[in-house]
């Protein structure tokens, strides 16, 4: 920061107290916060408070005691309000300036002239030449007049204008009517009556050019009553270039009103995340602010009403109706309050914003101070869950909102409709199952787990020997981040620092297909395989019974005959089921073939041998190390190109900047 900027900022720091606080007496805490917000001139969300004296309602108004609340304004970072002074300070302290010399460059041109014959006379316009360039001569003009068969021009006026060109039209003669030589026009009106084109036939010899009034009169005779562009007509006629038609009139199209929409004042879209590393290469997971917490009275969303349409007008002065914008419902859930006019939604309670199926609500947060263990039992909650410790083996945590675990997760089962955040890591020992049915999964590391996310799976330090499915992306970046072993599947992208290991550990990476569809195909193939194995056993049993029947002269005991009939029926059902499964698998594979070719696998550092990459139905087996590489599908084949960083949303970039300033 510049010295001037530092000095002014230091003065501000001396003037400002560490925090502003006032004592408020009110009937409730909510009322106290509202009064303090108005007095301090800040939003309720930037206030903190302590209840000094808890109020009581009394009995029939007797003995009522108001709340006594100490309200303080949360300390905020200094805005860079002196940012513009930094440039000024640099200019004032600069010792060497680079002089930039601006020179006026004049355009050079030869002299020009133009002769225009109208009903008002013969008009000559002469443009002077630049110094050193050829000027217009009288002979040039006389030759032009001769070619035009103009014989009544005043040569003295021509000589005078040639000697002192004014660049303005000068009358050098009277117009002599020659109707057979005059210019003409035709008017073309578009079918929708929104545009009118005029096509000109230029005059011949000494025939007169059309004037603005001539064109306007022709337009009106053609039924044009609105939108006539007189200045455009004047400019066109002045150029005397009739090679293109003139758009002489335009109607005003109707302006349809914009639909109503909801402007959310809190974050409802958290598709992307970035990691910030410290000097030791460790990822800071504490300040990502993945959960959106709000306080009582905070504005959550504002509904912007639909706009009225503005009617248009055709060139025939016909009114064109405009469509007004459509209204949109203001969907909200529990924990919120809608204003009387239906335009503002605010928080009714302190809690966490949950945005599901287009509906915003505020859910209270269930906090487990320690581990999820025998003391707590399984946790099933209709809001969000925050666990201060670990989730021990064989326990279940289910939440309708988000799940945040500040410790680690063992061989447990976690399921949430929102995001799942594990601040440390997951050690699943092949039995842990982590599933987000509507959000993303974030963890420091994932080892020997089954993980599914409807959006992204993001691990800062590594994914080891796990089965990970993400509808959108799987990201693994950090100082020691790597994806080793197991099966990693993502609809759009797998992006990691390192994929595989130098020990050639088998690692399967699949992209380009929704993992749900892949799992469905896998399940159907397993069912088909099982049915075919059952059919094989049935065939052996049926063959044995038929052999016994043949040996016994075509007869079997009643029990074995009944068994043969049952086995035959089961075989028919099994064969029908196999055919159905084949058809369903073919349909799914045809569907996959119709999908857009997308999906990519990126490794910032290296992809080791032993890694198998699948993009849709194409396979690439890495037999050598590949550094700083990207695998994508182009023209039905897997293409190798330079590494591509994962895209980071503007919202995540903003959070990263705030965290850096802090």
């Amino acid at each position: 920061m510049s010295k001037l900027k530092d000095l002014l900022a230091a003065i501000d720091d001396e003037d400002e107290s560490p925090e502003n606080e006032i004592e408020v007496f009110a009937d409730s805490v909510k009322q106290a916060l509202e009064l303090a917000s108005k007095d301090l001139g800040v939003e309720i969300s930037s206030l903190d408070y302590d209840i000094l004296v808890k109020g009581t309602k009394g009995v029939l108004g007797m003995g009522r005691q108001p709340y006594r609340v100490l309200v303080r304004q949360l300390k905020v970072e200094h805005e860079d309000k002196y940012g513009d002074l930094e440039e000024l300070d640099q200019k004032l302290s600069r010792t060497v300036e680079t002089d930039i010399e601006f020179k006026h460059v004049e355009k050079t041109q030869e002299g020009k002239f133009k002769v225009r014959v109208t009903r008002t006379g013969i008009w000559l316009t002469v443009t002077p030449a630049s110094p050193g360039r050829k000027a217009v001569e009288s002979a040039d003009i006389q030759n032009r007049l001769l070619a035009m068969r103009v014989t009544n021009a005043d040569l003295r006026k021509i000589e005078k204008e040639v000697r002192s060109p004014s660049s303005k039209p000068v009358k050098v003669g009277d117009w002599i009517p020659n109707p057979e030589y005059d210019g003409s026009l035709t008017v073309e009106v578009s079918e929708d009556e929104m545009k009118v084109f005029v096509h000109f036939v230029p005059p011949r010899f000494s025939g007169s050019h059309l004037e603005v009034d001539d064109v306007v009169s022709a337009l009106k005779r053609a039924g044009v009553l609105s939108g006539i562009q007189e200045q455009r007509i004047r400019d066109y006629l002045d150029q005397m270039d009739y090679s293109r038609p003139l758009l002489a009139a335009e109607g005003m199209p109707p302006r349809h009103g914009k639909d109503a929409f909801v402007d959310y004042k809190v974050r409802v879209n958290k598709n992307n995340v970035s990691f910030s590393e410290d000097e030791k290469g460790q990822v800071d997971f504490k300040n990502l602010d993945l959960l959106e917490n709000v306080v009582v009275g905070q504005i959550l969303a504002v509904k912007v009403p639909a706009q009225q349409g503005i009617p248009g007008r055709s060139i025939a002065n016909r009114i064109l109706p405009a469509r007004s914008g459509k209204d949109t419902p203001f969907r909200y859930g529990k924990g919120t309050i809608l204003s009387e006019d239906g335009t503002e939604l605010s928080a009714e309670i302190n809690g966490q914003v949950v945005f599901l199926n287009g509906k915003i609500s505020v859910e209270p947060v269930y906090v487990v101070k320690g581990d999820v263990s025998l003391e707590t039992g399984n946790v099933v909650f209709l809001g969000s869950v925050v666990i201060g410790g670990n989730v021990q083996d064989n326990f279940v945590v289910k939440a309708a909102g988000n799940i945040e675990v500040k410790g680690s997760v063992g061989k447990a089962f976690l399921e949430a409709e929102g995001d799942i955040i594990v601040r440390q890591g997951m050690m699943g020992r092949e039995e842990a199952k982590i599933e987000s049915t509507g959000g993303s999964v974030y963890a420091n590391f994932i080892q020997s787990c089954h993980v599914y996310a409807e959006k992204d799976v993001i691990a800062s330090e590594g994914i080891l020997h796990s089965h990970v499915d993400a509808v959108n992306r799987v990201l693994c970046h950090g100082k020691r981040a790597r994806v080793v072993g197991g099966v990693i599947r993502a609809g759009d992208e797998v992006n990691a620092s390192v994929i595989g290991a130098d020990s050639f550990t088998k690692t399967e990476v699949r992209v380009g297909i929704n993992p749900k569809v892949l799992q469905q195909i896998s399940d159907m193939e397993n069912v088909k395989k099982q049915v075919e194995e059952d059919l094989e056993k049935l065939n052996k049993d049926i063959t044995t019974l038929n052999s016994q029947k043949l040996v016994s002269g075509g007869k079997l005991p009643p029990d074995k005959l009944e068994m043969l009939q049952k086995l035959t029926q089961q075989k028919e059902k099994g064969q029908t089921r196999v055919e159905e499964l084949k058809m369903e698998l073919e349909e799914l594979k045809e569907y996959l073939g119709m999908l857009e070719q997308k999906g990519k696998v990126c490794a910032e550092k290296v992809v080791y041998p032993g890694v198998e990459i699948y993009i849709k139905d194409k396979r690439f087996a890495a037999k050598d190390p590949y550094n700083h590489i990207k695998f994508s599908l182009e023209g039905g084949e897997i293409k190798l190109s330079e590494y591509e960083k994962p895209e980071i949303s503007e919202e995540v970039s903003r959070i990263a900047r705030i965290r850096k300033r802090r």
Side-chain angles (χ1 to χ4, degrees):
M1 184 186 294
S2 65
K3 295 180 180 179
L4 180 59
K5 183 177 173 185
D6 287 339
L7 180 59
L8 292 176
I11 294 173
D12 270 4
D13 288 339
E14 292 177 1
D15 291 342
E16 292 181 1
S17 59
E19 57 184 11
N20 296 326
E21 60 182 25
I22 58 174
E23 254 184 51
V24 182
F25 292 85
D27 293 332
S28 65
V29 176
K30 181 179 178 182
Q31 185 183 33
L33 290 173
E34 290 174 349
L35 294 173
S37 173
K38 293 179 180 178
D39 186 71
L40 295 174
V42 297
E43 295 289 336
I44 293 179
S45 60
S46 62
L47 297 177
D48 193 9
Y49 64 90
D50 292 324
I51 301 176
L52 302 179
V53 177
K54 187 174 182 181
T56 58
K57 295 182 178 179
V59 180
L60 298 177
M62 301 296 292
R64 185 182 70 84
Q65 182 177 357
Y67 279 81
R68 181 182 167 203
V69 183
L70 179 64
V71 184
R72 68 181 65 86
Q73 181 181 355
L74 295 175
K75 187 176 180 181
V76 298
E77 298 295 329
H78 283 296
E79 296 180 356
D80 194 7
K81 57 185 176 181
Y82 301 115
D84 294 340
L85 295 178
E86 187 168 359
E87 183 179 356
L88 175 62
D89 185 64
Q90 290 176 358
K91 290 181 178 180
L92 293 175
S93 60
R94 190 178 300 165
T95 57
V96 179
E97 294 288 345
T98 302
D99 294 330
I100 302 176
E101 182 179 357
F102 296 94
K103 296 181 179 179
H104 178 66
V105 180
E106 296 184 354
K107 294 183 178 179
T108 60
Q109 63 177 5
E110 295 184 349
K112 298 179 181 179
F113 72 92
K114 178 172 64 176
V115 178
R116 182 181 178 87
V117 179
T118 67
R119 288 192 299 273
T120 59
I122 303 170
W123 298 88
L124 172 66
T125 304
V126 180
T127 304
S130 302
R133 306 290 289 185
K134 182 181 178 181
V136 174
E137 297 179 357
S138 299
D140 298 330
I141 300 174
Q142 292 176 17
N143 290 335
R144 176 70 60 83
L145 293 173
L146 182 62
M148 294 172 62
R149 301 183 184 179
V150 175
T151 59
N152 60 328
D154 190 333
L155 298 180
R156 289 178 298 176
K157 290 184 177 180
I158 294 175
E159 289 288 345
K160 180 180 179 182
E161 188 63 20
V162 169
R163 287 194 301 269
S164 302
S166 63
S167 299
K168 295 180 181 179
V170 176
K171 186 176 180 181
V172 296
D174 296 321
W175 172 62
I176 299 176
N178 291 292
E180 67 275 15
Y181 296 153
D182 292 343
S184 61
L185 61 82
T186 57
V187 177
E188 176 190 0
V189 180
S190 62
E191 292 184 4
D192 59 359
E193 296 184 348
M194 294 302 290
K195 292 184 178 181
V196 181
F197 292 92
V198 179
H199 301 267
F200 291 87
V201 176
R204 296 183 302 130
F205 305 124
S206 60
S208 67
H209 291 259
L210 294 170
E211 297 184 275
V212 176
D213 292 342
D214 299 324
V215 178
V216 172
S217 298
L219 292 173
K220 291 182 177 179
R221 288 195 300 270
V224 180
L225 304 176
S226 176
I228 297 176
Q229 307 292 319
E230 289 193 16
Q231 185 59 47
R232 187 183 298 172
I233 296 171
R234 184 174 290 106
D235 294 341
Y236 179 91
L237 295 177
D238 187 60
Q239 294 176 6
M240 296 194 304
D241 178 13
Y242 304 110
S243 60
R244 55 183 175 82
L246 166 65
L247 179 58
E250 289 185 276
M252 183 179 71
R255 291 175 56 187
H256 301 300
K258 293 183 179 179
D259 295 340
F261 66 93
V262 178
D263 181 16
Y264 293 101
K265 302 300 182 182
V266 293
R267 286 183 293 127
V268 295
N269 184 8
K270 298 175 286 182
N271 291 331
N272 300 311
V273 69
S274 63
F275 297 104
S276 176
E277 297 181 5
D278 59 16
E279 297 177 353
K280 297 181 180 179
Q282 297 178 342
V283 177
D284 181 9
F285 233 99
K286 296 188 287 295
N287 298 318
L288 282 179
D289 295 330
L290 296 173
L291 303 180
E292 186 75 9
N293 295 308
V294 294
V295 298
V296 176
Q298 182 173 339
I299 301 299
L300 305 176
V302 175
K303 180 179 178 180
V304 179
Q307 294 180 354
Q308 295 293 323
I310 300 176
R313 189 180 298 271
S314 72
I315 54 93
N317 211 27
R318 181 168 56 87
I319 300 299
L320 305 176
R323 183 183 68 251
S324 295
K326 297 179 181 180
D327 194 15
T328 186
F330 206 156
R331 303 186 62 191
Y332 57 95
K334 60 183 180 180
T336 62
I337 299 177
L338 187 64
S339 61
E340 293 183 359
D341 60 1
T343 61
E344 280 191 354
L345 189 69
S346 58
E348 185 180 22
I349 59 174
N350 293 340
Q352 181 187 343
V353 173
V354 176
F355 187 77
L356 290 173
N357 301 322
K359 183 167 65 176
I360 190 170
S361 58
V362 178
E363 298 284 357
V365 179
Y366 178 74
V367 178
V368 179
K369 294 183 179 180
D371 295 346
V372 174
S373 60
L374 290 173
E375 295 182 1
T376 62
N378 292 333
V379 177
V380 179
F381 190 61
L382 295 178
S384 295
V385 177
V386 176
I387 300 167
N390 307 319
V391 180
Q392 295 185 4
D393 291 348
N394 303 317
F395 282 91
V396 175
V397 180
K398 293 185 178 181
N402 299 321
I403 296 176
E404 180 182 5
V405 182
K406 296 185 178 180
S408 61
V409 174
K411 188 177 63 175
F413 176 71
L414 273 64
E415 181 181 10
E417 292 182 13
D419 296 331
I420 297 177
I421 303 105
V422 181
R423 296 296 179 95
Q424 294 185 20
M426 307 175 187
M427 293 284 291
R429 299 202 294 280
E430 302 295 339
E431 295 185 35
K433 185 176 181 182
I434 315 297
E435 182 173 0
S436 170
T437 60
S440 300
V441 174
Y442 306 87
N444 192 31
F445 67 89
I446 300 172
Q447 183 170 345
S448 303
C449 297
H450 292 265
V451 180
Y452 172 82
E454 187 66 20
K455 295 181 181 177
D456 298 334
V457 174
I458 301 174
S460 60
E461 289 301 325
I463 301 176
L464 309 176
H465 307 288
S466 297
H467 190 114
V468 177
D469 285 344
V471 173
N472 292 342
R473 304 182 302 172
V474 175
L475 305 180
C476 184
H477 285 271
K479 198 74 173 181
R480 297 172 296 276
R482 61 180 59 238
V483 174
V484 180
V487 178
I488 311 298
R489 302 188 299 191
D492 295 336
E493 177 181 3
V494 172
N495 200 313
S497 294
V498 176
I499 301 179
D502 52 7
S503 58
F504 295 11
T505 303
K506 182 179 179 180
T507 306
E508 182 178 321
V509 180
R510 290 180 178 265
V511 294
I513 301 176
N514 189 324
K516 285 184 177 179
V517 180
L518 284 177
Q519 191 61 48
Q520 187 177 359
I521 291 175
S522 177
D523 293 342
M524 290 177 64
E525 288 177 342
N526 290 334
V527 172
K528 177 174 170 289
K529 181 179 179 181
Q530 183 62 49
V531 174
E532 288 174 341
E533 290 176 356
D534 293 341
L535 280 175
E536 187 176 350
K537 293 178 181 178
L538 285 172
N539 285 329
K540 290 180 179 179
D541 293 339
I542 291 172
T543 300
T544 300
L545 290 172
N546 284 328
S547 298
Q548 293 177 1
K549 182 179 179 181
L550 183 63
V551 171
S552 60
K555 294 182 179 180
L556 283 174
D559 57 339
K560 290 189 176 182
L561 182 60
E562 182 181 358
M563 180 182 296
L564 179 60
Q565 293 174 348
K566 288 182 178 179
L567 292 176
T568 303
Q569 292 176 355
Q570 292 178 7
K571 177 182 177 181
E572 292 176 354
K573 291 181 179 179
Q575 290 174 338
T576 302
R577 180 56 178 155
V578 168
E579 293 301 319
E580 290 175 350
L581 289 170
K582 286 181 178 179
M583 291 180 62
E584 291 176 5
L585 283 169
E586 288 177 0
E587 290 177 356
L588 277 176
K589 291 177 180 179
E590 287 179 3
Y591 166 74
L592 293 180
M594 295 169 59
L595 292 177
E596 179 186 358
Q597 291 188 353
K598 63 177 183 177
K600 55 187 176 181
V601 178
C602 304
E604 184 178 10
K605 294 181 180 177
V606 62
V607 172
Y608 283 106
V611 176
E612 293 183 1
I613 295 174
Y614 294 84
I615 304 179
K616 292 189 68 176
D617 57 346
K618 302 300 179 181
R619 175 179 177 271
F620 181 90
K623 298 180 180 180
D624 299 299
Y626 293 88
N627 299 319
H628 204 69
I629 192 74
K630 168 189 169 183
F631 300 87
S632 59
L633 192 64
E634 291 187 13
E637 298 296 333
I638 294 180
K639 178 185 176 182
L640 281 64
S641 56
E642 189 175 0
Y643 170 77
E644 180 177 308
K645 290 184 178 180
E647 294 183 4
I648 302 299
S649 67
E650 180 63 27
E651 176 64 17
V652 172
S653 298
R654 184 186 67 82
I655 295 172
R657 289 195 298 269
I658 293 173
R659 185 168 68 248
K660 188 176 180 180
R661 288 201 300 266
R662 290 178 178 174

